[in-house]
Amino acid sequence: MNPLGIGFAYTIAATGSDNPISFDLTYFAMIFSFLILVWFLAKYAWKPLMDMMEKRRQFIEDNLAHAEQERNDAEKIRLEYQEEMRQARSEAQSIIESAIKISEQQAAEIIVQARKENERMKEVALADIGRERDKAITDVKAQVADMSVAIAEKIIRQKLDMTGQEALIDQFIQEVGDKPC
Amino acid sequence: MHEMILWQVGNSTVHGTTLVMTWIVMAAIIIFVRLGVRNLTSGKPGKFQNILEWLVDFIKNLVSENMDYKKGSPLLSYLLTLILFIFFSNMLGLIPNLVGPFLHNVEFAKLNQIFGGPVLMSPTADINTTMGLATLTIILVVYLGIKHKGASYFRHFIEPNALFLPIHIVDILSKPMTLAFRLFGNIYAGEVLIAVILMLPGLYVFGGVIGPMPIWLGFSIFIGTIQSFVFTVLTIAYVAQAVAHDH
């Protein structure tokens, strides 16, 4: 039996069973056995094994992608925080600036008011002083008049009739009052 | 070296020793692989799963280095089985025959004669095995060549011109021949030498612990590994040649 139809192999095989190079049905049996082994292992071993390896590859890939995603998220949050911080700082700065401006305005207003008040009080004081002076003058006039009358009375008691000289005294006092003192 | 035991099938014969040893190898491979895929996990793999994954990665790399990976990936199962089968076959010839004493009365299927030698036999030490595997390789080459390139696959037979047709025919016939005889020759010669060493006087005195036997066994392990690798790599290379686009 020579399934390959190769001449020299046939010659060698024909020389006897001791010859190591002899073809027979073993050739087909081996091909058949090996194909069965390939089929069996492919179905029950290699396919599940490779699926598992693929699954692991997928798993690692997913993990890496996930980690990358998280890293990006963290970076984004960090940038957001930075931005917020920057805004808060500038807000605080503007608040302080406006407070300073307001306080400066208020201070200026207070000073202006104080000046006005001061002015007003000075005027009031001046008016008071003027009034007091007038009052004092009036008092002094009255006292002077009384004292003049008393003095004149003493001086001229004997000569003048008090009642008859009233007009003369008034005239006298009038003259005194018109004089600036 | 074994005396080949023949089984009569109709008016033809098969090599009983080779077949029995092949079945042992197949059983061993199935057990070995079964250990690896028993507790498949995508998490932390066990020892055997790790070995299998290493093997898968190894073959995957070989394929993707030699050809377009998309064209090669359907071959992975075949190539993995091929390298495992040849490796286990080569190693079987180095294993002492421990079951022989229990079978020396069993006449069924001439098992007493099949397990009559001092060591088991490599199925790859039979030219039928290696030629069968090489035939599958060349069928694969032609099939994939036609599948990926259509009728234009046959154009390479007459390139650069029709005068080269005989050379291309010799080329495609010599590929399986070299594959088969390289593997067969290496392993058969190894078995012959083991048989010769076993015939050396005084070997049994030292129990085979010192002397040529362990050295030769170690070298045979090396050769068996290399040959399984070579056969697989050449199969990949031939397929890659057939499916590659013309430049």
Side-chain angles (χ1 to χ4, degrees):
Chain A
M1 179 71 192
N2 177 23
L4 277 188
I6 299 170
F8 79 91
Y10 181 79
T11 340
I12 296 169
T15 56
S17 67
D18 282 346
N19 195 303
I21 300 177
S22 57
F23 290 95
D24 61 7
L25 284 180
T26 317
Y27 172 76
F28 297 105
M30 289 308 305
I31 291 179
F32 183 68
S33 302
F34 183 70
L35 286 180
I36 284 182
L37 187 66
V38 169
W39 170 81
F40 183 84
L41 290 186
K43 186 168 180 191
Y44 292 103
W46 306 132
K47 196 179 175 308
L49 184 70
M50 286 188 219
D51 286 351
M52 197 52 73
M53 289 169 80
E54 177 63 23
K55 214 165 117 188
R56 180 186 301 136
R57 198 189 61 77
Q58 197 65 43
F59 175 74
I60 290 171
E61 208 172 56
D62 286 354
N63 268 8
L64 285 180
H66 193 66
E68 178 70 13
Q69 177 71 30
E70 299 226 312
R71 210 178 60 80
N72 285 345
D73 285 356
E75 179 69 12
K76 218 159 70 186
I77 289 173
R78 197 179 68 85
L79 286 179
E80 267 171 26
Y81 278 162
Q82 254 177 358
E83 179 64 19
E84 264 171 34
M85 194 99 100
R86 209 177 55 74
Q87 269 181 356
R89 212 170 275 158
S90 71
E91 240 167 64
Q93 193 63 32
S94 71
I95 287 173
I96 289 172
E97 272 170 13
S98 70
I100 288 174
K101 215 154 76 184
I102 288 170
S103 65
E104 273 173 358
Q105 261 177 6
Q106 276 180 344
E109 271 170 25
I110 288 170
I111 288 171
V112 167
Q113 262 186 350
R115 270 204 195 116
K116 265 190 206 158
E117 183 73 14
N118 199 9
E119 206 67 27
R120 201 180 58 78
M121 277 165 70
K122 215 161 95 183
E123 277 168 14
V124 169
L126 279 178
D128 278 356
I129 289 168
R131 212 167 37 245
E132 289 296 320
R133 192 194 62 188
D134 289 349
K135 202 174 143 195
I137 288 170
T138 316
D139 282 358
V140 168
K141 272 183 189 169
Q143 276 182 3
V144 168
D146 283 352
M147 280 162 70
S148 304
V149 170
I151 292 166
E153 210 180 65
K154 276 182 182 167
I155 296 171
I156 59 175
R157 172 147 311 169
Q158 269 74 46
K159 295 177 201 174
L160 284 178
D161 178 26
M162 277 303 270
T163 53
Q165 296 303 312
E166 202 66 43
L168 190 64
I169 290 164
D170 276 345
Q171 191 194 346
F172 186 59
I173 289 167
Q174 193 66 45
E175 283 171 12
V176 172
D178 283 345
K179 274 183 194 160
C181 50
Chain B
M1 186 172 67
H2 278 260
E3 188 194 345
M4 186 58 73
I5 307 303
L6 299 178
W7 289 345
Q8 202 69 34
V9 178
N11 54 8
S12 185
T13 56
V14 292
H15 295 177
T17 317
T18 308
L19 281 188
V20 169
M21 295 302 164
T22 303
W23 295 334
I24 292 175
V25 166
M26 285 167 72
I29 291 174
I30 287 171
I31 290 169
F32 171 74
V33 169
R34 172 86 187 129
L35 284 174
V37 299
R38 187 180 40 185
N39 296 319
L40 269 185
T41 167
S42 65
K44 182 174 167 289
K47 285 195 191 84
F48 283 97
Q49 190 186 340
N50 221 344
I51 294 172
L52 289 185
E53 285 186 10
W54 171 81
L55 191 67
V56 170
D57 275 339
F58 179 69
I59 299 291
K60 264 187 186 170
N61 284 340
L62 278 181
V63 170
S64 55
E65 278 166 16
N66 280 286
M67 66 176 109
D68 186 6
Y69 182 72
K70 270 190 191 137
K71 288 177 182 169
S73 56
L75 279 179
L76 279 181
S77 290
Y78 178 81
L79 294 169
L80 282 164
T81 315
L82 184 69
I83 197 169
L84 267 188
F85 180 77
I86 297 176
F87 177 76
F88 273 71
S89 296
N90 294 348
M91 293 305 122
L92 193 70
L94 311 177
I95 295 174
N97 180 9
L98 298 175
V99 292
F102 303 103
L103 294 171
H104 74 281
N105 281 331
V106 182
E107 288 293 332
F108 172 72
K110 299 183 185 170
L111 278 180
N112 54 345
Q113 296 177 53
I114 286 174
F115 289 99
V119 289
L120 300 177
M121 177 208 164
S122 290
T124 40
D126 185 332
I127 188 67
N128 290 279
T129 309
T130 58
M131 193 56 91
L133 296 177
T135 310
L136 285 177
T137 292
I138 215 66
I139 289 173
L140 213 56
V141 166
V142 175
Y143 168 73
L144 288 175
I146 294 172
K147 186 185 168 195
H148 286 287
K149 288 158 93 177
S152 67
Y153 168 72
F154 294 104
R155 197 180 300 147
H156 90 268
F157 281 104
I158 53 167
E159 274 172 358
N161 62 53
L163 284 180
F164 284 78
L165 181 61
I167 292 178
H168 281 297
I169 289 174
V170 168
D171 173 56
I172 204 163
L173 286 180
S174 67
K175 274 174 181 171
M177 298 277 283
T178 54
L179 273 181
F181 279 97
R182 179 186 303 111
L183 180 57
F184 164 72
N186 272 284
I187 304 309
Y188 184 74
E191 298 212 339
V192 169
L193 200 58
I194 285 177
V196 169
I197 290 170
L198 284 175
M199 281 188 275
L200 288 177
L203 186 93
Y204 291 108
V205 177
F206 301 115
V209 176
I210 51 173
M213 194 56 160
I215 296 170
W216 182 246
L217 284 181
F219 192 57
S220 287
I221 290 173
F222 174 70
I223 289 177
T225 313
I226 292 293
Q227 286 306 320
S228 62
F229 172 72
V230 165
F231 198 103
T232 312
V233 165
L234 284 177
T235 299
I236 294 171
Y238 292 159
V239 171
Q241 242 175 30
V243 302
H245 282 292
D246 295 326
H247 300 293

